[in-house]
Amino acid sequence: MRPEKTDLRREAGQRTRDDLLAAALELLARRGQEGVTLREITQSAGANVAAVSYHFGSLKALCDVTVEHALERYLNAQIRELDALAGTATLSELAEAFARPMMNALAAGGRDLAVIRTVARVGIDPPEGWERLAGKFEQARRQAVRVLAANLPGTDERELVFRVRCAAGMLNWLALAPIGAELAAEPAERVERMLIPVVAGALQGTGA
């Protein structure tokens, strides 16, 4: 086979794979893994059923890869925001960094919002095998606790971790609840003004 034909076939195969991932992401964001069918994904991607088997092996494997890509994208963005915080960062600055990936997704919509909603579903109801990214979850949590501990000296570390997890859970809920759609329709500046104090309050806790 001529090299140019091989390259075209490879490019076509990559496009089909990308289309399947995009279709799976959109459906997973809306309904979760239990609500997605092979037929829906292939019809949305404009591909045949055999393409799923060829590129991923099975529907479950396609969904697993899609979820893992979404989690990596979200966690990498959150880790970048948290890594950029100085040791003297305030609770408000920590809350902004922690919530920034979600706020950006609400403003952007489309694929970015689908990523956030997929991540939220996984955070609320983790699928089998999600532990593969436990290290990245721990890295983000550790960075948040670092800044939180500087603002709340003397607070037990387990309590600080609990507050970070509660703040993450709240963001997950917002991404999926009707209020998330309401926020997505608001200007980005208003979303920040409303959301950051709430996240900061969850991180600070009532005993501070």
Side-chain angles (χ1 to χ4, degrees):
M1 185 178 293
R2 292 164 60 183
E4 56 267 28
K5 287 188 176 180
T6 301
D7 290 342
L8 288 174
R9 288 186 63 181
R10 187 180 296 113
E11 290 174 7
Q14 185 61 50
R15 282 197 300 272
T16 298
R17 190 178 191 277
D18 291 344
D19 289 344
L20 287 168
L21 285 169
L25 176 64
E26 181 61 33
L27 290 167
L28 286 168
R30 282 196 270 133
R31 294 204 299 271
Q33 195 158 336
E34 296 303 316
V36 172
T37 68
L38 184 60
R39 181 178 295 276
E40 285 179 307
I41 290 176
T42 53
Q43 285 181 343
S44 179
N48 56 47
V49 173
V52 174
S53 297
Y54 177 78
H55 289 287
F56 300 97
S58 67
L59 172 61
K60 182 182 184 303
L62 167 57
C63 290
D64 287 347
V65 171
T66 302
V67 168
E68 188 165 339
H69 284 183
L71 282 169
E72 282 196 296
R73 182 172 171 178
Y74 173 80
L75 289 170
N76 286 339
Q78 191 174 62
I79 288 168
R80 283 195 301 271
E81 293 286 343
L82 294 170
D83 279 348
L85 291 176
T88 56
T90 65
L91 280 176
S92 181
E93 290 169 334
L94 171 59
E96 181 178 355
F98 196 75
R100 175 59 57 193
M102 178 180 172
M103 292 189 296
N104 287 344
L106 288 171
R111 182 178 178 84
D112 288 345
L113 188 54
V115 166
I116 290 295
R117 286 178 174 161
T118 300
V119 169
R121 289 189 184 281
V122 172
I124 292 171
D125 185 20
E128 182 181 349
W130 77 291
E131 296 88 353
R132 290 191 300 273
L133 291 171
K136 283 188 179 289
F137 277 103
E138 178 58 29
Q139 184 179 352
R141 189 179 300 132
R142 187 169 59 249
Q143 290 293 67
V145 168
R146 168 183 63 87
V147 179
L148 196 54
N151 280 271
L152 303 173
T155 305
D156 182 74
E157 184 175 348
R158 289 182 60 189
E159 185 174 341
L160 297 179
V161 170
F162 175 75
R163 293 181 190 183
V164 171
R165 295 181 69 182
C166 284
M170 180 180 67
L171 291 176
N172 288 339
W173 176 80
L174 284 172
L176 297 174
I179 193 173
E182 296 173 19
L183 287 173
E186 295 283 353
E189 296 79 9
R190 179 169 170 78
V191 173
E192 289 189 24
R193 191 166 64 250
M194 292 191 298
L195 186 56
I196 290 174
V198 175
V199 177
L203 294 169
Q204 180 171 337
T206 57

